[in-house]
């Protein structure tokens, strides 16, 4: 009986390690590999020691090694500046901040141009792509797998009507600029068709904050138009009601389809 229990415990540990490996791979791309290396090489050490080594190795790879290796795969880390920032350290910590050089150049150009007209206001990015392998999925997105896509946060004004860098959710996702009663409601249409996932990001806010801010029509239109002026941009996804509200008629602005998720909490950009 004791032998059976020990075997069952070993099987359970293996399954648990596989689950953690899968989770870290889905979340960060490289985390699962680092985890397996640590588990195999330090299998006789305590959990505390293994966790410490994992953290050190993962951070070294993420911030020192991967930025040097990614260009071999045609991608590079987004160059952060005073005008261009991630919503939080989560996006850099999990290696979701990689794009092809063409996209990186556009982000730098547009963020600099936007700041000239709106001093102090940053262009804030969310999920971009992983550093390696075309076709490797970046969960929960359907298409962020080739270095050519990125999500940007919307721009807001404070209670005095002044532009602000504040955002309504911790993650940057999940707090929507809903259609008014007079605007076309694509959300309800998609949900009636059975696309239950369409507003799923409301569960991914990681907390709602700054409830006193509101969507800026002028600033968001300006930001989108700056990207539209770049010939390399192939598509921009926002909800149809925002396209109409902002009077954006460019053919590059598309509806992403009911199989995706709502795009009235962020702007999706992609190259040709």
């Amino acid at each position: 009986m004791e032998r059976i229990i020990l075997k069952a415990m070993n099987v359970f540990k293996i399954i648990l390690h596989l689950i953690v490996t899968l989770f870290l791979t889905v979340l960060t791309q490289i985390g699962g590999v680092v985890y397996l290396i640590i588990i195999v090489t330090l299998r006789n050490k305590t959990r505390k020691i293994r966790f410490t080594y994992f953290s050190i190795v993962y951070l070294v790879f993420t911030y020192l090694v991967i930025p040097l290796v990614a260009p071999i795969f045609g991608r590079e880390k987004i160059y952060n500046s005073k005008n261009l920032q991630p919503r939080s350290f989560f996006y850099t910590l999990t290696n979701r901040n990689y794009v092809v050089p063409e996209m990186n150049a556009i982000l730098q150009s547009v963020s600099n141009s936007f700041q000239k007209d709106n001093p102090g206001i940053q262009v804030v990015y969310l999920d971009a792509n992983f550093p390696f392998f075309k076709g490797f999925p970046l969960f929960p997105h359907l298409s962020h797998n080739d270095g050519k896509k990125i999500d940007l946060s919307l721009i807001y004004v404070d209670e005095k009507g002044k532009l602000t860098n504040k955002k309504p959710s911790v993650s940057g996702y999940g707090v929507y600029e809903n259609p008014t009663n007079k605007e076309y409601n694509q959300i309800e249409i998609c949900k009636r068709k059975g696309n239950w996932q369409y507003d799923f990001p409301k569960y991914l806010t990681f907390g709602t904050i700054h409830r006193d801010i509101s969507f800026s029509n002028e600033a968001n239109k300006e930001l989108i138009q700056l990207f539209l002026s770049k010939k390399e941009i192939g598509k921009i996804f926002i909800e149809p009601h925002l396209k109409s509200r902002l009077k954006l008629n460019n053919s590059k602005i598309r509806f992403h389809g009911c199989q995706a998720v709502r795009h009235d909490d962020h702007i999706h950009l992609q190259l040709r």
Side-chain angles (χ1 to χ4, degrees), residues 17-233:
H17 286 319
L18 290 175
I19 292 174
V20 174
T21 299
L22 178 62
F23 172 77
L24 290 173
T25 301
V26 169
L27 185 66
T28 71
Q29 192 174 51
I30 69 155
V33 174
V34 175
Y35 179 78
L36 284 178
I37 292 173
I38 297 300
I39 290 297
V40 171
T41 57
L42 300 177
R43 59 182 178 275
N44 295 323
K45 301 297 183 180
T46 64
R47 291 180 181 175
K48 184 176 181 179
I49 291 176
R50 291 201 298 266
F51 177 78
T52 300
Y53 272 87
F54 169 81
S55 300
I56 293 172
V57 173
Y58 179 81
L59 291 174
V60 168
F61 267 78
T62 293
Y63 290 108
L64 297 179
V65 177
I66 292 179
L68 299 177
V69 178
I72 298 174
F73 295 82
R75 303 182 192 182
E76 57 189 26
K77 184 172 67 172
I78 296 172
Y79 304 134
N80 296 335
S81 69
K82 65 178 182 179
N83 302 330
L84 179 66
Q85 287 287 316
R87 175 66 186 103
S88 74
F89 76 94
F90 169 83
Y91 296 102
T92 58
L93 181 64
T94 55
N95 302 296
R96 293 167 172 253
N97 60 325
Y98 284 81
V99 292
V100 296
E102 293 84 354
M103 179 63 86
N104 216 349
I106 290 172
L107 291 171
Q108 307 308 314
S109 175
V110 168
S111 61
N112 290 337
S113 296
F114 187 76
Q115 197 274 339
K116 289 179 181 178
D117 291 335
N118 306 281
I121 303 302
Q122 300 168 337
V123 174
V124 175
Y125 65 87
L126 309 172
D127 275 334
N129 310 263
F130 283 137
F132 307 128
F133 309 122
K134 185 175 181 179
F136 193 100
L138 186 134
F139 182 82
H141 304 277
L142 298 176
S143 65
H144 289 231
N145 58 12
D146 59 3
K148 296 182 178 181
K149 283 89 174 182
I150 189 169
D151 289 343
L152 302 177
S153 179
L154 299 172
I155 308 294
Y156 298 87
V157 293
D158 60 21
E159 68 277 9
K160 296 180 180 179
K162 294 183 178 181
L163 291 177
T164 178
N165 286 316
K166 293 179 179 179
K167 308 299 177 186
S169 75
V170 173
S171 70
Y173 291 104
V175 175
Y176 305 117
E177 178 60 20
N178 291 305
T180 65
N181 293 333
K182 296 181 180 180
E183 291 178 327
Y184 183 74
N185 195 329
Q186 183 66 58
I187 298 94
E188 286 303 316
I189 292 174
C190 287
K191 291 172 71 174
R192 282 201 301 267
K193 289 181 177 179
N195 299 99
W196 60 269
Q197 87 295 337
Y198 199 67
D199 63 352
F200 182 78
K202 66 185 179 183
Y203 300 111
L204 302 177
T205 62
F206 299 136
T208 56
I209 52 178
H210 306 309
R211 299 178 185 274
D212 57 338
I213 62 176
S214 56
F215 180 84
S216 171
N217 290 341
E218 294 78 12
N220 283 291
K221 181 175 183 177
E222 179 184 352
L223 181 61
I224 291 172
Q225 286 179 322
L226 285 171
F227 282 108
L228 288 172
S229 70
K230 303 296 182 180
K231 66 181 186 303
E232 298 89 349
I233 293 294

Side-chain angles (χ1 to χ4, degrees), residues 246-262:
L246 301 182
K247 296 179 174 59
L248 294 167
N249 299 314
N250 194 295
S251 61
K252 291 182 180 181
I253 301 178
R254 311 283 185 84
F255 172 55
H256 38 278
C258 288
Q259 76 282 357
V261 296
R262 293 176 63 164

